Amino acid sequence: QVQLVESGGGLVQPGGSLRLSCAASGSIPNMYLMGWYRQAPGKQRELVASITSGGTTTYADGAKGRFTISRDNAKKTVYLQMNSLKPEDTAVYYCNVKSYPSRNFWGQGTQVTVSS
């Protein structure tokens, strides 16, 4: 039984930073892809960033240069460092893990609000 526990969200001023964490608990096979999605009110869920087990990263255009995704395999944790935050980054952020051969897991979501 796998659970993804997210933390690090909150309220921050424009230009500020937040670091999101997502820790996987329980037995889990190969976590070949870990990532972060976000969903703002009235909008579709979108991929923000992902990272493979080999360390290959993918970023949404709006996240490039500001966000950094990383993972600690020993801790079974994925991170999202968010710098230079903008109001348009405001959303609920969801952790996602894809595990071989066909499992898919989601965190509970954490609110990120960027406002002055």
Side-chain angles (χ1 to χ4, degrees):
Q1 297 182 5
V2 175
Q3 296 183 24
L4 302 181
V5 181
E6 302 177 18
S7 63
L11 175 65
V12 66
Q13 295 184 7
S17 298
L18 286 173
R19 184 178 185 244
L20 305 183
S21 299
C22 174
S25 64
S27 180
I28 186 169
N30 178 41
M31 299 184 292
Y32 69 90
L33 189 68
M34 306 180 78
W36 291 92
Y37 292 75
R38 68 185 181 189
Q39 188 166 22
K43 294 190 175 182
Q44 296 268 308
R45 181 187 63 188
E46 64 175 351
L47 177 68
V48 179
S50 66
I51 183 168
T52 70
S53 59
T56 301
T57 58
T58 299
Y59 295 95
D61 288 342
K64 292 179 181 177
R66 300 188 298 123
F67 294 3
T68 302
I69 189 170
S70 61
R71 60 190 286 171
D72 185 330
N73 291 328
K75 296 181 178 180
K76 297 191 292 184
T77 301
V78 62
Y79 306 93
L80 185 67
Q81 178 67 46
M82 303 186 293
N83 299 325
S84 302
L85 283 162
K86 305 174 181 179
E88 50 262 46
D89 295 318
T90 297
V92 177
Y93 285 69
Y94 297 93
C95 176
N96 175 259
V97 172
K98 291 180 170 57
S99 177
Y100 181 88
S102 61
R103 303 295 298 276
N104 192 45
F105 305 95
W106 291 93
Q108 78 281 3
T110 184
Q111 177 71 46
V112 171
T113 302
V114 185
S115 177
S116 59

